[in-house]
Amino acid sequence: MVSTFAGGKHIESHKQLSRDAAIEPIPLPVEVVIPLSQHTGTICEPLVKKGDRVLTGTKIGQSSNVLSSCVHASISGTVRGIELCPHPVLGQCLAVIIDSDGRDEHDAAIQPRKAAERLSKEELLAIIKEAGIVGMGGAAFPSQVKLNPPKPVDTLIINGVECEPYLTCDFRLMLEKANEILQGIGLLKKTVNVSKVFIGIEEDKPEALRMMRNKIMEKHYPFTVSPLTAKYPQGAEKQLIKAVINREVPPGKLPFDAGVIVSNVGTACAVYEAVFLGKPLYERVVTVTGATVKKPANLNVRIGTRFGDLIRYCQGTTGAAGKIIMGGPMMGLAQFSEDVPVIKGTSGILVLSEAEARQEGEHPCIRCGRCVDVCPMGMIPSALSLCVESGRLDLSSRYNPRDCIECGACTYICPAKRRIVESIRLVKAVMK
Amino acid sequence: MKGIISAILTLSGLGFSFGVLLAWASKKFHVKTDPRVEKITGLLPGINCGACGEAGCASLAELIAADKADVHVCVACSPENRIAIASVLGLSTEGVGRRLSQAAVIGCGGGNRCKNKFAYRGLADCRVAVSAMGGYKECRFACLEQGTCIQVCPVGAISMQPEGVPKVISEKCIGCKKCIAVCPRRLIMMVDRDKDVYINCHSHDKGALIMKKCGVGCIACGKCVKACPSQAITLIDNLAVIDYGKCTNCKQCVAVCPTKTIAIR
């Protein structure tokens, strides 16, 4: 049975551009820029200074705050400096710049761990924290905090949905690293101590569904694969929970309030590597795609590699780039510079041509109600947009703007090309 | 003929009885109003800016008449009208008519002289513009030019200048501080009305960076500090700051500023 949630819309996926490109490693970058904040939470304090020699996997930043995640060097070399650098989310952030020595020497602490199956929950959490693992879906929430909920939970949902158009990194991971992901899920299951584990995958990825099912049957894992309707935003946390186990997260609450923890397949893979191989999170899979990119690919990239290097590795673009987006076209962030580095939450780099990035003029709301139909949170986006347009922000609170997950389905569907999500973001910012 | 007479009689009968009913009702259901409230409402500015915290001028007038609010709660009221309100209430007018204290100034001269990092094509609201990568201006302190302060000003005292930055017309400003609340860069300050000079920059960046980004910001050269005869200017974190308590409005700092950052409103 294929399940889903109310609302949402099937969006042309454009995934054929890169879905058949196997994950390939790229040559070591000559320099990396590692921002000290790549996660939700407090920025790290640098642990190195200018001129220090670092090895691949050396911890170079950490914070004493609970809601934070440490960062590691992704190549071996010398620290050139700690400066304000462009950042794909924050615009600007303090970052450690490392010049590569080309040898890629690994830190001595990276050792395969024996008897990994016998580790306790606390030991696993400590390993995850030290490895700097964050949610790999994009929000980059520190995993050791998420996996240690203040309330008991009974279900773990693994997010292999990847509903954003264009992106294929999770899909390729499921095909190529199924064993690692499943072992990682086993570790996650033990860490959060749950009985039920579901893996949600959209049905437009039949290869991934088959691969996961076969591997689970082979190794007799106690996991269930849930095929889901291919619809945007199926991979959003609350929509995924609703579709897989038919529970609703109360407004303003987090998934653990509904007894669930949701984790990405990429995170499961990173947890496997941290626990079994002792490898901190210093590389990830990034989809570089777009109709103008000459050779779209799924690349295994060191954190801190600049976007421009990746686009050039994919043989550049056919025409002038109109927009470079980190993430997918729906929720991704447009970048103003090719110099921004890949961070832990970078799932893809999407290059749109000038024609694709064209922005049309805004028109008055015709009250067709299409945004109401597609809103996965059951909101009335048009009303909020009208509140902003008429300058009556005081009226907006009755439409519960805080529920908005900013998926952009309303803006996508709007025939009047209204910037609905931006309006709702404004309302949220003012309400704060 | 008979029909006409009966119609006239019926209508005048109805008219009379309703007249009696209304006369009785107006006595019976009479709402006692304070005649002073109406007078005070007329003397208040009547722009319903909300700076006093009330819904509008009429509700503040009620509070003033009931002695629950001070005349000075209204920042927009002119001194003459304030005296008039005090005399309506039968209060002493001494000190009530002192000059209005402050008017807003916007401390950024960047505008189109400040370079852009990228083209912003989002909603025309500074509060949204600042959420896109921390703003599209090279300078992280610069005005975002979307004119949210202009939109919220209840008296139209702020207007966009050709340089791309908004400016407050002091004569029109009523001091309600609504613009201060919406500016995401915190560029707007209240300055005493008898002081004309202000620092038209909020950047704490070093001078070399300022010259690269806009060329009209405070480069912290310290010339104004030396020129000020009353030691009212200090440099705090690469930015000149005027202590208006000491400032005598002599404008000597304006003359020496090499980047023309110290402005006259």
Side-chain angles (χ1 to χ4, degrees), chain A residues 111-120 123-124 127 187 190 275-276:
Chain A
Q111 291 291 340
R113 200 173 263 108
K114 292 183 189 98
E117 290 84 2
R118 288 201 295 274
L119 291 168
S120 71
E123 284 167 323
L124 284 169
I127 293 170
L187 295 168
K190 194 170 171 188
V275 174
F276 281 87

Side-chain angles (χ1 to χ4, degrees), chain A residues 276-391:
Chain A
F276 281 87
L277 311 178
K279 189 179 128 190
L281 183 55
Y282 62 74
E283 59 182 358
R284 71 156 293 147
V285 182
V286 176
T287 305
V288 183
T289 183
T292 60
V293 176
K294 283 193 188 139
K295 195 175 135 282
N298 298 295
L299 307 173
N300 198 16
V301 178
R302 299 293 166 96
I303 303 285
T305 312
R306 296 187 194 265
F307 280 21
D309 293 345
L310 299 183
I311 297 170
R312 276 187 289 280
Y313 179 80
C314 294
Q315 296 170 10
T317 54
T318 46
K323 221 176 213 184
I324 298 175
I325 297 172
M326 181 186 103
M330 298 298 285
M331 288 186 78
L333 295 163
Q335 302 298 321
F336 59 86
S337 161
E338 276 191 7
D339 291 337
V340 290
V342 168
I343 58 170
K344 291 173 186 174
T346 308
S347 46
I349 299 170
L350 169 63
V351 186
L352 296 179
S353 69
E354 273 169 357
E356 286 169 322
R358 190 189 70 234
Q359 200 168 16
E360 291 180 46
E362 222 176 335
H363 299 283
C365 174
I366 57 169
R367 297 178 189 269
C368 62
R370 276 175 233 187
C371 54
V372 182
D373 286 344
V374 297
C375 180
M377 297 305 290
M379 293 170 58
I380 312 176
S382 57
L384 280 161
S385 154
L386 286 166
C387 283
V388 171
E389 194 183 37
S390 53

